RNA sequence: GGGCGAUUAGCUCAGUUGGCUAGAGCGUUCGGAUCACACCCGAAAGGUCAGGGGUUCGAGUCCCUUAUCGCCCACCA
């Protein structure tokens, strides 16, 4: 007897398989290994937290692909690593430090705090790695990377330097989400929208009188505005943030507004400040309409105060109309003249303006409103409930705050343009194009850049194809990418800067610009007027970007008083280089040549724009090839209510919990089965009362399947051991002789070959559900339910045992191979057992099995021929057996009692039944009597039609069951017959439908009518 | 506001270029300790394919429309 336990115990098997894989370095690949290259880079998980179920899915799929291609003979590699995830990681550490030590980031020196984050990263990197290993991920761990380790830092420096040198990185302005309480910039996703009760203030802005020469504009019938002696004296603006009016640099009106023409060229004298600002025309302004559904139109006056430095939309308007941008706030949210407010405003400023300085923004709001009221310029105040961005950390309202930032010019044709050109022709919708046409390869693109002839054009494909649109739309509407972040955790921007008087900078830096430094430095200058901050006039800020590995130059710059930029790069800058940096670019390594481009990127849809886009642009730019040719976008896992899984909702599931409750293979199988073409899958979450941990009953199917696989192999091993005993230890196994195979043997081999083809097809098209389902149905439905049952008598018969053992061993061997990528642990260990019991197990010409010591490196099965006759005949037996079982159940036959069955059948079917008497008798618990074509119905027999035969089960007498059965069947038949007759009576059907379908309907109708006639 | 998607059995989901009586697993009901497996075996019940229109000989599948839900992007004077 085998020593395999009756129930599969994952905990006893998984570590053993993992140990062997690791010890024998079976995940490792070298560029010199044989096979065509196949590489996958892991989407590096953030080191912010342990992996969740979404990662488990993502990584299971990558492992399936890697193991599949490795077995198929490719030189396959899966490159693992983690992402430093700038903002997210710094934030979790800040939270923890605040909670545990009561300290803020600013209470530490920069280095000191970065060390704390580093400690966190180390801890989570280990945990993540352990999780991936527990899941069975066959990553090449010798090549594990981290987006901020030395080789990756070098890649970032090199990429930044090259882009900087080419002018693709520049200094620009941007409104950041500023938290005045913690005095940090926040990412968009760190801003929480909260509904607040605020007010709409309607402020009157007087028109500047001296510009109003000539005829007086008449304002008639206007709701807002200034009717005094039929002359327009002021305009009214509506705002929720009156204090920002101090920074207004224009008032805008929609050009379609009837008042626009009258006001063209007029100016406003801004109250309190006395600044004279223009009235401009812009489509963005909403026309007032009290009856509109749009709340904006209800509240609007038609006049929009434009404050470019303190509102994102106003900023855009400011850019369009080249308006000055005046920042009136200090970083702490108080009104300040020190951060970009031109001194001219204060030259003859009144006391009223001076008094506002130093006030907090909310005090200033009250004071400004008060001032307008006092001066009869406050027209109205209305209550208004609206959502306002708040800091998720300090919970104070966010202030849009203008600042200088570094930008990457992704709008350049060499970046976004190239990404579009890379798209597969079938997936690129040129008709829909928003005006962008990818530049063809032989054209100069207008950037002075002659594109190379490419073999990557049109080679990037998305699965499912609908995601190509997301990619395309993003690049057609792309805006330059702000790459600097006001953080401590990340790649420090490799730029040093110093401000010089405009006339002296060149002399001061002459020696740096000599040949010695030429290739190690790239320089850009920004004049004082380009900055959004007010700098001394006639100054020039010089920015020097230093190429990697030039510490001497950096030191020289610092000696000259240059300072390194305090900001770090956006996380996506380093992850955008991932398919290159994991292979140690910019080093020209054999690995880089071998595995870049990688093959497939496997990711979730939320980062198509953030990540996929950047990798494509960067890889094309730096290496003139694609980072990968196929992008597979898998579903997102939600909880049972369709919500995202998250810590705060408490509905997250830890893969390790599932591994301990169900096993890694069970988890992997279930996730694979769930990976259909849809966008989302729901995973009902339950709390396990015993462990107190979240789990899901969905994983039972995987656990059950693994147990089935375990027991099928256990059964086979027991039988094969038995067979070996009969053959004698020295005897060679019986030669394969197909002529001695049973129908069941031929059928299962054929079914297996069909399954291989289905698996190949499914995996090639990323239809993981079809792969899992195909394996499941074959293994459980065909192999276990039918074949293993069918061969039991043969396996006990020494005369027939040999051939059946050959088939059984080969089919099981092949099944383990097919299943391995999905459920690697259990299949690996069972394969070893099979090797012990039966080292040779091929079926020449049918199933090739070159045994290998380790399944992970065994050959992927090659689909052989299917046997149509076996696949046509065996199902007839299945139907007949099913019909007999059904009768037994309906008539409540004693389960142990053998009933006598006779069958009316003819021709080939009759022959098949005759030669498979044993099978029918065993599986239907019956004694098979006469099988002839001219059978008259025996007395006291229950009757059924199946497999084209009439079946009589004797001794089943139950009149009520009989009546019920007949009535039910008769109803079905009458209904079907009516529908078919109806179809055939329709002349259009007969004339227009394909003839084979008409014929089919006719045949079927005849069959059903015959059955109905016999029912009486 | 723009885009993508979903709605099929009590639950979670398949359903190919439109074509057999719309399938699976779980759950339910009935029967079963049979020597691979009770994480099992055998059988059964259960569906107006979200609603409404259209195209077609024929629609779960294609088109229009309504409703509900989800995600991404943009925005909120």
């Amino acid at each position: 007897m085998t020593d395999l336990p009756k129930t599969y115990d994952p905990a006893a098997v998984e570590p053993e398989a993992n140990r062997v894989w690791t010890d024998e370095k079976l995940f490792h690949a070298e560029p010199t290994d044989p096979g065509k290259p196949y590489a996958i880079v892991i989407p590096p998980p953030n080191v912010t937290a342990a992996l969740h179920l979404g990662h488990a899915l993502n990584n299971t799929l990558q492992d399936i692909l890697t193991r599949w291609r490795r077995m198929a003979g490719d030189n396959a590699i899966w490159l693992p690593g983690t992402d430093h995830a700038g903002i997210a990681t710094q934030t979790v550490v800040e939270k923890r430090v605040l909670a545990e030590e009561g300290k803020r980031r600013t209470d530490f020196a920069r280095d000191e705090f970065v060390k704390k984050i580093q400690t966190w990263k180390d801890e989570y990197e280990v945990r993540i790695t352990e999780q991936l290993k527990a899941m069975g991920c066959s990553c090449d761990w010798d090549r594990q990377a981290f987006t901020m380790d030395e080789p990756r830092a070098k890649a970032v420096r090199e990429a930044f330097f090259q882009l900087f040198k080419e002018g693709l990185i520049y200094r620009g302005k941007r409104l950041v989400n500023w938290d005045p309480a913690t005095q940090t910039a926040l990412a968009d996703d760190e801003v929480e929208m909260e509904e607040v009760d605020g007010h709409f203030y309607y402020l009157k802005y007087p028109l500047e009188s001296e510009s109003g020469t000539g005829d007086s504009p008449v304002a008639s019938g206007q709701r807002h505005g200034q009717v005094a002696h039929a002359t327009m004296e002021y305009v009214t603006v509506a705002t929720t943030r009156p204090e920002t009016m101090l920074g207004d640099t224009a008032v805008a009106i929609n050009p379609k507004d009837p008042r626009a023409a009258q006001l063209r060229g007029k100016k406003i004298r801004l109250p309190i400040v006395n600044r004279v600002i223009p009235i401009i025309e812009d489509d963005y302004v909403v026309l007032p309409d009290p009856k509109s559904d749009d709340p904006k139109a209800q509240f609007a006056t038609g006049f929009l105060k434009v404050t470019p430095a303190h509102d994102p939309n106003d900023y855009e308007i400011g850019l369009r109309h080249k308006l000055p941008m005046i920042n009136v706030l200090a970083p702490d949210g108080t009104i300040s003249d020190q951060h970009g407010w031109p001194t001219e405003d204060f030259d003859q400023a009144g006391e009223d303006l001076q008094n506002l300085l130093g006030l907090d923004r909310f005090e200033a709001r009250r004071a400004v409103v008060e001032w307008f009221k006092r001066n009869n310029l406050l027209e109205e105040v209305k209550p208004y409930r609206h959502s306002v961005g708040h800091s998720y950390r300090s919970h104070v309202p966010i202030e849009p705050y203008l600042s200088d930032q570094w930008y990457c010019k992704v709008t350049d044709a060499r970046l976004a343009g190239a990404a579009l050109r890379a798209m597969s022709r079938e997936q690129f919708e040129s008709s829909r194009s928003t005006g962008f046409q990818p530049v063809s390869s032989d054209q100069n693109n207008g950037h002075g850049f002659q594109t190379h002839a490419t073999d990557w054009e049109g080679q990037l494909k998305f699965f499912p194809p609908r995601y190509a649109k997301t990619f395309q739309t993003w690049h057609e509407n792309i805006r330059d990418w702000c790459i600097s972040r006001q953080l401590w955790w990340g790649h420090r921007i490799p730029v040093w800067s110093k401000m010089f008087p405009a006339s002296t900078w060149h002399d001061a830096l002459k020696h740096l610009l000599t040949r010695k430094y030429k290739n190690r430095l790239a320089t850009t200058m920004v004049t004082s007027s380009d900055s959004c901050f007010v700098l001394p006039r006639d100054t020039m800020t010089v920015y020097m970007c230093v190429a990697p590995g030039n510490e001497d130059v950096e030191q020289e710059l610092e000696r000259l008083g240059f300072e390194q930029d305090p900001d770090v790069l956006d996380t996506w800058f380093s992850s955008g280089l991932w398919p290159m940096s994991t292979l140690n670019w910019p080093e020209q390594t054999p690995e880089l040549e071998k595995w870049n481009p990688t093959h497939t990127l496997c990711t979730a849809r939320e980062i198509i724009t953030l990540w996929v886009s950047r990798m494509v642009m960067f890889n094309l730019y730096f290496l003139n090839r694609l980072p990968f040719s196929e992008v597979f976008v898998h579903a997102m896992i939600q909880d049972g209510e369709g919500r995202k899984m998250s810590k705060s909702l408490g509905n997250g599931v830890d893969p390790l919990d599932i591994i301990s409750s169900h096993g890694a293979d069970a988890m992997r199988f279930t996730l694979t089965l769930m990976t259909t073409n849809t966008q989302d899958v729901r995973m009902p979450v339950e709390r396990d009362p015993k462990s107190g941990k979240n789990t899901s009953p969905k994983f039972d199917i995987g656990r059950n399947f693994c147990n089935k696989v375990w027991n099928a192999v256990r059964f086979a091993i027991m039988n094969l051991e038995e067979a070996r005993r009969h053959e004698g230890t020295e005897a060679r196994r019986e030669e394969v002789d197909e002529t001695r195979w049973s129908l069941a043997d031929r059928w299962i081999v054929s079914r297996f070959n069909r399954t291989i083809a289905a698996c190949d097809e499914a995996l090639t098209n990323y239809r993981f559900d079809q792969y899992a389902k195909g394996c499941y149905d074959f293994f459980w439905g065909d192999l276990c339910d039918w074949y293993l049952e069918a061969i039991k008598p043969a396996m006990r018969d020494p005369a027939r045992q040999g051939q059946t053992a050959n088939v059984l061993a080969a089919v099981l061997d092949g099944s383990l191979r097919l299943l391995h990528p999905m459920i690697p642990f259990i299949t690996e260990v069972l394969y070893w057992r099979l090797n012990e019991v039966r080292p040779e197990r091929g079926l020449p010409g049918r199933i090739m099995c070159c045994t290998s010591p380790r399944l992970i490196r065994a050959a992927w099965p090659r689909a052989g021929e299917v046997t149509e006759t076996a696949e046509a005949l065996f199902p007839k037996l299945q139907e007949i057996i099913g019909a007999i079982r059904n009768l037994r159940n309906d008539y409540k036959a004693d389960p142990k009692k053998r009933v006598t069955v006779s069958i009316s059948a003819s021709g080939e079917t009759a022959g098949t039944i005759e030669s498979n008497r044993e099978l029918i008798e065993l599986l239907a618990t019956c004694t098979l009597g006469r099988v002839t074509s001219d059978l008259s119905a025996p007395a006291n027999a229950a009757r059924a039609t199946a497999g084209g035969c009439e079946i009589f089960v004797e001794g089943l007498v139950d009149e009520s069951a009989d009546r019920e059965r007949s009535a039910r069947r008769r109803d079905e038949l009458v209904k079907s017959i009516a529908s078919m007759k109806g179809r055939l009576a329709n002349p259009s059907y007969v004339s227009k439908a394909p003839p084979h379908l008409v014929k089919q309907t006719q045949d079927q109708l005849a069959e059903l009518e015959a059955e109905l006639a016999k029912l009486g």
Side-chain angles (χ1 to χ4, degrees), chain A residues 2 22-23 47 115 211 307 318 398 571 598 616 655 678 713 836 948 974:
Chain A
T2 170
T22 308
D23 289 355
V47 290
K115 251 182 219 147
S211 67
T307 324
I398 288 299
T571 295
T598 67
V616 171
T678 50
V713 177
E836 289 163 19
V974 166

Side-chain angles (χ1 to χ4, degrees), chain A residues 201-206 235-251 268-277 304-311 314 324-329 335 341-342 345 352-353 356 361 364-373 375 377-378 399:
Chain A
Y201 301 92
Y202 290 82
L203 308 179
K204 297 198 264 193
Y205 284 6
V235 299
T236 304
V237 297
T239 179
T240 56
R241 292 158 66 214
E243 70 281 9
T244 62
M245 60 78 59
L246 300 171
D248 284 3
T249 52
V251 166
I268 298 281
R269 179 164 290 273
L270 190 64
I272 308 181
V273 188
N274 281 324
R275 186 184 303 137
V276 175
I277 58 176
L304 175 68
K305 64 190 273 302
V306 183
T307 324
H310 293 286
D311 182 278
D314 293 8
M325 308 200 173
I326 298 176
N327 180 22
V328 300
L329 290 176
I335 305 293
W341 197 338
D345 276 354
D352 292 339
L353 180 56
L356 290 171
R361 54 189 167 146
R365 178 172 301 175
R366 277 190 294 275
V368 165
V369 172
E370 192 51 41
W371 189 96
F372 272 83
K373 203 170 170 184
N375 291 276
L377 291 173
L378 182 66
E399 199 60 45

Side-chain angles (χ1 to χ4, degrees), chain A residues 726-991:
Chain A
H726 284 291
E727 287 168 358
T729 42
E730 293 305 312
R732 292 177 46 205
R733 72 188 179 108
E734 204 171 304
E735 286 297 317
V736 173
D737 177 3
E738 273 192 49
T739 60
R740 293 171 58 203
W741 286 5
S742 68
L743 175 61
D745 291 332
R746 283 182 282 129
W747 173 75
I748 198 67
V749 169
S750 182
R751 291 291 309 148
F752 177 63
N753 277 316
R754 203 177 277 283
T755 306
I756 299 170
C759 288
D760 281 333
E761 164 93 14
L763 287 172
T764 304
N765 293 303
Y766 303 97
R767 290 305 309 266
F768 293 94
D769 60 323
Q770 291 178 352
Y771 163 56
K773 188 76 175 4
C775 288
Y776 182 93
D777 287 346
F778 169 74
F779 198 90
W780 199 315
D782 293 340
L783 186 62
C784 292
D785 286 349
W786 289 97
Y787 185 68
L788 293 188
E789 294 302 328
I791 62 172
K792 278 176 179 172
M795 290 307 287
R796 290 187 199 117
D797 176 358
R800 291 182 289 164
Q801 200 175 55
Q803 289 307 320
T804 303
N806 283 337
V807 174
L808 174 64
V811 171
L812 263 185
D813 175 288
S815 302
L816 291 178
R817 291 171 200 247
L818 277 188
L819 289 166
H820 178 77
M822 181 166 43
I823 47 172
F825 293 106
I826 186 173
T827 48
E828 179 72 67
V829 170
L830 289 174
Y831 188 81
W832 301 343
R833 297 307 185 95
L834 217 49
N835 277 350
E836 289 163 19
V837 178
R838 182 110 178 169
E840 288 183 30
R841 33 180 200 272
L843 298 178
R846 291 287 176 196
I847 299 175
M848 302 306 293
C849 300
C850 304
T851 41
S852 145
R854 304 299 179 212
L855 181 55
I856 185 175
R857 295 277 178 168
W860 182 252
R862 200 139 8 123
E865 274 178 49
V866 297
T867 316
E868 298 290 349
T869 50
E871 292 207 32
L873 290 176
F874 195 79
K876 285 195 188 296
L877 297 178
Q878 291 177 304
E879 279 180 52
I880 290 164
I881 291 164
I884 300 168
R885 285 169 170 176
N886 175 265
L887 284 170
R888 294 182 57 104
N889 269 288
D890 271 6
Y891 286 81
K892 298 184 174 32
D894 176 350
K896 292 201 179 59
K897 190 189 163 199
R898 262 181 197 286
V899 292
T900 301
V901 173
S902 47
I903 300 176
S904 167
S906 57
E908 199 178 20
T909 311
T912 305
I913 295 168
E914 278 296 353
S915 53
N916 287 280
R917 276 180 171 271
E918 186 183 53
L919 179 72
I920 295 170
E921 291 185 337
L922 176 72
L923 298 187
T925 324
C926 67
T927 305
L928 188 56
R930 283 169 21 101
V931 178
T932 63
S933 57
D934 54 350
L935 196 70
S936 52
N940 293 335
R943 172 215 301 264
T945 305
C949 315
E950 259 200 289
I951 295 157
F952 301 96
V953 179
E954 291 169 29
L956 291 184
V957 191
D958 180 336
E959 275 185 32
S960 70
D962 209 31
R963 267 199 304 275
E964 199 186 309
R965 228 185 114 80
S966 305
R968 205 169 56 216
R969 182 65 186 150
R970 197 175 291 117
D971 286 352
E972 278 171 18
L973 287 172
V974 166
K975 221 169 102 188
S976 302
I977 288 168
S979 127
M980 284 178 198
K981 276 185 169 165
R983 211 180 306 161
L984 288 167
N986 182 346
S988 316
Y989 174 68
V990 182
S991 62

Side-chain angles (χ1 to χ4, degrees), chain A residues 523-537:
Chain A
T523 314
T524 189
M525 271 79 63
V526 175
T527 60
S528 52
S529 55
D530 287 336
S531 173
C532 60
F533 297 116
V534 174
L535 298 171
R537 268 174 215 152

Side-chain angles (χ1 to χ4, degrees), chain A residues 29-104:
Chain A
E30 286 292 337
T32 48
D33 289 346
K36 63 176 204 266
Y38 184 91
I40 292 181
V41 284
I42 199 170
N46 292 349
V47 290
T48 43
L51 303 185
H52 52 69
L53 220 43
H55 294 108
L57 170 64
N58 178 253
N59 291 296
T60 294
L61 302 181
Q62 293 173 76
D63 196 43
I64 287 173
L65 294 172
T66 307
R67 285 177 185 267
W68 169 48
R69 294 320 304 168
R70 189 189 286 126
M71 289 174 80
D74 289 355
N75 185 3
I77 191 169
W78 182 13
L79 294 156
T82 48
D83 195 309
H84 68 278
I87 295 165
T89 312
Q90 179 168 320
T91 302
V92 292
V93 174
E94 279 184 45
K95 268 187 194 166
R96 181 150 96 170
V97 168
L98 186 63
E100 288 178 0
E101 304 174 40
K103 289 183 179 169
R104 294 180 181 281

Side-chain angles (χ1 to χ4, degrees), chain A residues 589 647 658 695 697 880 956:
Chain A
T589 63
K647 273 205 189 106
I658 303 300
T695 181
I880 290 164
L956 291 184

